[in-house]
Amino acid sequence: IGHGSGKMKDSDWIDDDAGLLGIPGYDHPGKDIYSESDIKLRAHVVNINASYNFWPIKNVSIGPMAGYRHQFFKYDVKNTNQIGYDLYDPFFTIYVRGRTLEYEVTYYIPYFGLNSNILLGKRFRTNLNFGYAPWAFAKDRDDHLLRYKLSEGDTDGYAYIANVNANWNFMAHLYLSIGGEYMKIHTTGTQHQSFYAGPYVGMTFDVDDKITSSQLLLYGMITYRF
């Protein structure tokens, strides 16, 4: 459970917007809007797994692993600095102070894989594991507060997780641990968009949706064991 802050970067592309601004025959392929905003992030991440190790040789173990990972990220977005390109420059280049958007995404990842330990003497241990999720699910909710537009996505796909860490008992009761993990999530599905107020209230439509995430974790710590 934690929180953080940073920048959200948002790019919009349109293949063919002829007539969108009242100019018939105008074609503007490519990026039309780019913005950066301040964000506050709240996150909840739970990972539960179990493994069973066989020791084919004295210092090396290997065995199956199964687990479930649940991730929830919520972004409160404010102070948006937006740039419009080409014809959109005079219409959509603007700075908006205050809350502009709320976004949240949840990942549901049941996985299985292999876990291995390597013992080097009595003081050094290395752990490696790899997990694969053939059925990963992602749901997100994107509320454009200024446009009264709500977009909700429901997607499924796959994910994989690779983890390596090492522990060194360098003094009595003291252990140094270093490690890293990489996770890739790729899902596709449908996004439902609707206007809940404003001039387009009641308008709804569905579009193809893709939700992906690449996550890298590096860590180091010293622990004392009684």
Side-chain angles (χ1 to χ4, degrees):
I1 301 175
H3 67 276
S5 60
K7 290 286 186 181
M8 174 175 282
K9 300 178 181 180
D10 182 23
S11 298
D12 292 342
W13 288 269
I14 293 180
D15 292 330
D16 183 1
D17 61 351
L20 182 62
L21 297 178
I23 304 177
Y26 180 77
D27 187 19
H28 176 68
K31 184 184 292 187
D32 61 317
I33 293 175
Y34 173 77
S35 67
E36 292 188 5
S37 308
D38 298 327
I39 61 170
K40 180 180 180 180
L41 167 66
R42 286 174 284 172
H44 306 267
V45 177
V46 177
N47 182 37
I48 302 172
N49 63 50
S51 61
Y52 186 87
N53 289 329
F54 301 93
W55 295 84
I57 59 178
K58 182 179 179 180
N59 293 329
V60 177
S61 72
I62 191 169
M65 174 186 67
Y68 174 75
R69 183 168 298 208
H70 181 94
Q71 294 187 326
F72 172 78
F73 301 103
K74 180 176 175 60
Y75 301 87
D76 294 320
V77 185
K78 62 181 182 180
N79 302 334
T80 297
N81 187 23
Q82 180 175 280
I83 300 171
Y85 293 88
D86 293 337
L87 187 64
Y88 290 98
D89 185 7
F91 298 95
F92 294 106
T93 297
I94 188 173
Y95 175 77
V96 181
R97 183 177 295 277
R99 294 172 65 242
T100 57
L101 185 145
E102 293 179 350
Y103 180 76
E104 61 184 52
V105 59
T106 307
Y107 299 106
Y108 310 86
I109 308 172
Y111 62 89
F112 64 90
L114 291 175
N115 180 75
S116 177
N117 292 283
I118 302 173
L119 305 181
L120 300 175
K122 296 181 178 181
R123 293 181 175 270
F124 190 84
R125 173 194 295 262
T126 299
N127 174 257
L128 306 93
N129 60 67
F130 178 82
Y132 178 68
W135 306 286
F137 306 92
K139 296 180 181 290
D140 72 347
R141 185 179 188 274
D142 183 351
D143 189 350
H144 281 56
L145 301 174
L146 302 182
R147 300 176 62 198
Y148 312 108
K149 181 183 180 183
L150 178 64
S151 302
E152 296 177 295
D154 190 350
T155 63
D156 62 81
Y158 64 88
Y160 57 84
I161 309 164
N163 185 295
V164 59
N165 61 80
N167 294 275
W168 178 32
N169 180 204
F170 65 97
M171 291 180 62
H173 305 292
L174 286 175
Y175 293 78
L176 172 65
S177 300
I178 58 173
E181 179 183 273
Y182 178 77
M183 180 166 65
K184 176 68 175 181
I185 306 169
H186 186 281
T187 63
T188 58
T190 302
Q191 183 187 76
H192 179 71
Q193 301 184 0
S194 62
F195 290 87
Y196 54 84
Y200 304 109
V201 62
M203 181 182 296
T204 65
F205 49 92
D206 293 335
V207 298
D208 294 335
D209 194 14
K210 179 169 67 174
I211 302 175
T212 65
S213 180
S214 298
Q215 303 177 24
L216 176 64
L217 169 67
L218 301 174
Y219 66 88
M221 63 182 179
I222 294 176
T223 58
Y224 182 88
R225 298 183 184 179
F226 296 95

